[in-house]
Amino acid sequence: MLVARDLHTFFDSSHVLHGIDFSVAEGETVALMGRNGVGKTTLIRSMLGHVQPRTGSVRIAGRDATRLAPYRIARLGVAYVPEGRGVFPNLSVIENLVMAARPGDDRRTGWTLERVLETFPRLSERLQHRGMQLSGGEQQMLTLGRALMTNPKLLVLDEATEGLAPLIAQEIWHTIRVLRDAGTATIIVDKNFAVLSHLAHRCVILVKGRKVFDGPPAELSMQPGLRRQYLGI
Amino acid sequence: MEWLIQILNSVQYGLLLFLVASGLTLIFGIMGVINLAHGSFYMIGAYLAFSLAELTGSLWTALPLGIVLAFALGLVLEILLISRLYRRDHLYQVLLTFGLILVFEEMRSILVGDDVHGVAIPALLDASLPLTENLSYPVYRLFISAVCLVLAALMYFTIQKTRLGMMVRAGASNAEMTQALGINIRWIHALVFAAGVALAVFAGMIAAPVSSVFPGMGNQVLIICFVIVVIGGIGSLKGALIASLLIGFVDTFGKVLLPELAGVAVYLLMAIVLLFRPAGLYGRP
Ligand SMILES: Nc1ncnc2c1ncn2[C@@H]1O[C@H](COP(=O)(O)OP(=O)(O)OP(=O)(O)O)[C@@H](O)[C@H]1O
Ligand SMILES: [Mg+2]
C-alpha cells in the first residue's frame, strides 16, 4: 500500500529524518511510536506530500508519490487526520463532512454521510453547529468522520486521542478497530501503548529521526528494556 | 419625488460597486493577496463593452463574450503571476499588481487609444419609467440594479450552499487540510480569482452606458472599493454588500446635500466605522 525508502527530511539546516524506511501493507495496522520530537509527524508529512523530503522515495498504491501534491496523494486513497485535528472552524459540522465526500480510488462508497453519523451519533445532534463550537472530542470525531467520507484505503492518524476524555477516546479506538477489521490500512501515532499493542499488527519506533525497531507488538511486550529505552514506559 | 431618484441612484451605484468590491474582498480574504489591479478589470470591462459593442453591433452579444474573455484572463493571470504571490509579503503583491495596472493602461492606450467614449444604452432598455408628471427614471439603471442583485444572490448561494463554496471557505481557513482531503486548492484559488476578475469586468461593461468610458476610470473605482472592503471587514461578502450600499448612499446624497464635502464623505464614513469597529462591520479582529 505504502512504501517509503531512505527518507531524509530537513527543516532549513536541521536534519530531522535520517534515512527512514517505512511501509504499510494493504489492510495492515502500523503503530508509529517514539518520544516527543523524534520525527513521527515529520515522517508522516514527508510521506503525504506536505513536506518535501530532500532524498528518498515514496510509493503509494503502486505509484511513485515522491513529489506528488498532497491532494493527489489523498486521491490515491489516503486520508490524514493531523495532529491538532484540523476541523474547519468556519464550516458547520455537516459542511465539514459533505465537502470531503468522495468515492474511494476504486469507486468504493462504503462510507456515506448516514454511516458516518451512525458511527458518531453525537455529530448528528450538532449538524448545524460550526466547527469552532465543538468540544475537543466532537472535533476529533468530526475529523475522523470527515476522513472516512473520502472512503480511504489507508488512514493516517496523528495523535487522534490526544487530550480526550477516556470515554471519548474509547469511542475513537472502537471505530479504529472496526476499520481495521474491515481491512482499512492504518498508521497510528499515539501515546497509549497498551491499546496499540492489541490493535497494531506491527510497531515502528523512531529515535532522533532514525528507525530503531520494526516488528510485531508481542516482541516489544516481551522486551520491557526496549520499551523503557525507546519509549520511556 | 426627487429623493426617490436619489435613493434609486444610490442603490444602483452601491450594487455596482459591490460587484467589484466582492472580488477584491474574496481575493484578499481567501488568498491573502492585495490586488491593486482589481480596478483595472473594471476599466477593461468598460473598454470591452465599447469595443465589442462596436465590433458585434450589440451590447447583448458583447456581454457574454466579455465575461468569457474576462474569466480566461483571470485564469491566465492567476496561474502565471498571482499564484506566485500567495506565500509572499504584501510588498511583493503591491509591486506586482501595481505593475499590472501600468501594463493594462498601456495596453488600453495602444489598442483603443486615450479617448473618452460612450456606449449606447441597448434599444430594448432605452426607456424611462415615469414617476410623476415631470420626473422619470431610466429603465437601464433599474436593469443594472436588478442584475447586480441577481449576481449577489448567486454569489451568496454558491459560497454558502454548494460544495464548491464549502471548499472555498475550507481552503480559506486551512489550505493544507483542504488539500489533504483530495481537493486541488490551486484550482480553487484560480477559480476564485477568475470569478473576481469576471465580476469586475462585468461591472465595467454594464456600467459603460451610464458612465462614460475613460482612461484611469479603474483607479477611482479601486480606491472606493478598498474603502468598501475595509468598512465591510476584510474577506466578508456580507460586509462588502452592506458597505457598498452605505457608500452608494453617502456618495450620492453627499453630492446633493453637502456638495462641498462630496470628495471626503466616503472617507469620513470609513473613519467613523473604524472608530467603532476597527476590523470593519463584519471583520474578524
Ligand atoms: N516546521 C518545522 N520547522 C522546523 N523544525 C521543525 C518543524 N516541524 C518539526 N520540526 C522539528 O523536527 C523535529 C521532529 O518533529 P516532529 O513534529 O516530527 O516530532 P514528533 O515525533 O511528531 O513529536 P510529537 O510527539 O511532539 O508530536 C523536532 O525537533 C521539531 O522541533
Ligand atoms: Mg507529532
Side-chain angles (χ1 to χ4, degrees):
Chain A
M1 175 72 222
L2 179 149
V3 182
R5 292 242 173 279
D6 196 30
L7 291 181
H8 285 268
T9 299
F10 291 73
F11 289 111
D12 295 323
S13 61
S14 88
H15 196 169
V16 176
L17 298 187
H18 298 262
I20 292 189
D21 292 330
F22 184 89
S23 69
V24 188
E26 301 250 342
E28 191 181 26
T29 301
V30 178
L32 178 57
M33 305 193 281
R35 297 181 192 234
N36 284 343
V38 296
K40 304 180 295 290
T41 300
T42 305
L43 173 58
I44 287 173
R45 292 168 57 77
S46 301
M47 295 190 294
L48 301 191
H50 294 288
V51 170
Q52 288 297 318
R54 189 167 297 177
T55 56
S57 69
V58 180
R59 292 188 71 79
I60 296 175
R63 285 194 47 186
D64 182 20
T66 314
R67 301 263 174 267
L68 234 44
Y71 80 92
R72 287 195 183 275
I73 290 178
R75 289 183 191 176
L76 294 174
V78 182
Y80 176 33
V81 174
E83 220 172 5
R85 304 189 181 117
V87 161
F88 299 117
N90 53 338
L91 268 62
S92 68
V93 168
I94 191 159
E95 287 176 336
N96 265 281
L97 294 171
V98 167
M99 62 84 67
R102 193 153 43 81
D105 56 303
D106 56 359
R107 310 272 106 208
R108 293 179 299 278
T109 52
W111 285 98
T112 56
L113 182 62
E114 291 72 36
R115 184 147 167 239
V116 167
L117 293 179
E118 254 167 51
T119 309
F120 300 112
R122 269 162 178 272
L123 293 181
S124 46
E125 293 160 21
R126 301 203 168 255
L127 287 180
Q128 302 306 328
H129 287 66
R130 284 179 186 271
M132 60 182 146
Q133 296 170 302
L134 302 183
S135 70
E138 289 162 346
Q139 285 192 28
Q140 196 54 262
M141 292 175 192
L142 181 53
T143 348
L144 184 52
R146 190 179 60 190
L148 296 176
M149 291 294 286
T150 67
N151 286 288
K153 205 151 60 176
L154 170 63
L155 183 62
V156 182
L157 301 163
D158 197 351
E159 315 257 9
T161 64
E162 174 86 1
L164 297 188
L167 268 178
I168 297 189
Q170 255 177 43
E171 207 170 315
I172 304 270
W173 287 122
H174 173 75
T175 309
I176 294 171
R177 195 180 304 271
V178 168
L179 286 167
R180 186 194 66 162
D181 295 344
T184 307
T186 319
I187 301 174
I188 309 176
V189 176
D190 206 278
K191 300 239 156 26
N192 194 332
F193 180 75
V195 177
L196 282 182
S197 64
H198 284 104
L199 206 61
H201 298 114
R202 195 150 56 81
C203 295
V204 171
I205 300 182
L206 304 185
V207 172
K208 290 188 188 154
R210 291 191 167 81
K211 189 166 82 174
V212 296
F213 178 89
D214 190 338
E219 205 170 304
L220 269 184
S221 306
M222 284 183 308
Q223 300 184 47
L226 273 184
R227 261 160 54 199
R228 206 166 314 118
Q229 185 185 350
Y230 296 142
L231 304 172
I233 47 175
Chain B
M1 270 327 213
E2 187 66 42
W3 54 268
L4 179 61
I5 291 180
Q6 299 303 345
I7 289 177
L8 289 172
N9 278 341
S10 307
V11 170
Q12 180 254 304
Y13 180 50
L15 287 172
L16 195 67
L17 286 175
F18 171 70
L19 291 194
V20 186
S22 56
L24 195 62
T25 205
L26 283 182
I27 290 165
F28 200 3
I30 292 170
M31 285 95 95
V33 168
I34 299 179
N35 180 21
L36 294 185
H38 208 70
S40 301
F41 300 133
Y42 180 80
M43 178 276 292
I44 290 174
Y47 276 91
L48 268 181
F50 166 70
S51 314
L52 290 177
E54 291 254 289
L55 216 66
T56 64
S58 149
L59 191 63
W60 298 125
T61 0
L63 279 174
L65 261 176
I67 294 174
V68 172
L69 285 175
F71 201 82
L73 172 71
L75 285 182
V76 170
L77 280 177
E78 200 278 346
I79 292 167
L80 292 183
L81 298 174
I82 307 293
S83 60
R84 294 168 199 278
L85 295 174
Y86 296 155
R87 285 153 202 258
R88 289 186 189 251
D89 194 74
H90 289 321
L91 178 63
Y92 292 92
Q93 305 176 352
V94 169
L95 284 174
L96 178 72
T97 56
F98 183 71
L100 281 178
I101 296 184
L102 303 180
V103 171
F104 289 142
E105 288 291 342
E106 195 58 32
M107 299 261 285
R108 189 250 326 124
S109 178
I110 293 168
L111 294 173
V112 211
D114 296 329
D115 297 335
V116 175
H117 296 285
V119 174
I121 292 176
L124 184 64
L125 298 173
D126 196 5
S128 279
L129 208 66
L131 294 176
T132 61
E133 268 168 43
N134 41 22
L135 280 180
S136 63
Y137 197 75
V139 171
Y140 187 75
R141 280 183 185 268
L142 291 177
F143 165 77
I144 293 182
S145 297
V147 170
C148 291
L149 276 177
V150 169
L151 282 174
L154 211 67
M155 238 186 286
Y156 173 83
F157 179 81
T158 310
I159 297 217
Q160 294 301 328
K161 302 290 171 197
T162 67
R163 272 191 75 195
L164 177 65
M166 295 173 199
M167 292 175 189
V168 169
R169 281 181 286 139
S173 89
N174 189 340
E176 186 178 300
M177 193 62 232
T178 308
Q179 290 239 67
L181 292 166
I183 292 155
N184 185 354
I185 195 84
R186 298 199 51 186
W187 256 114
I188 301 261
H189 288 161
L191 216 62
V192 169
F193 189 82
V197 172
L199 281 168
V201 165
F202 181 76
M205 291 185 86
I206 53 168
V210 292
S211 79
S212 57
V213 178
F214 57 98
M217 64 188 292
N219 299 337
Q220 277 181 6
V221 168
L222 177 73
I223 293 167
I224 291 287
C225 285
F226 266 113
V227 171
I228 289 171
V229 169
V230 170
I231 291 181
I234 288 166
S236 165
L237 268 189
K238 201 201 289 177
L241 179 60
I242 291 172
S244 298
L245 288 170
L246 272 177
I247 293 281
F249 274 92
V250 167
D251 189 74
T252 309
F253 278 90
K255 277 178 187 146
V256 177
L257 301 175
L258 298 162
E260 58 281 3
L261 275 184
V264 291
V266 295
Y267 303 102
L268 272 179
L269 174 68
M270 176 167 78
I272 293 168
V273 169
L274 292 186
L275 208 57
F276 293 100
R277 300 193 70 111
L281 294 175
Y282 287 92
R284 274 181 289 272

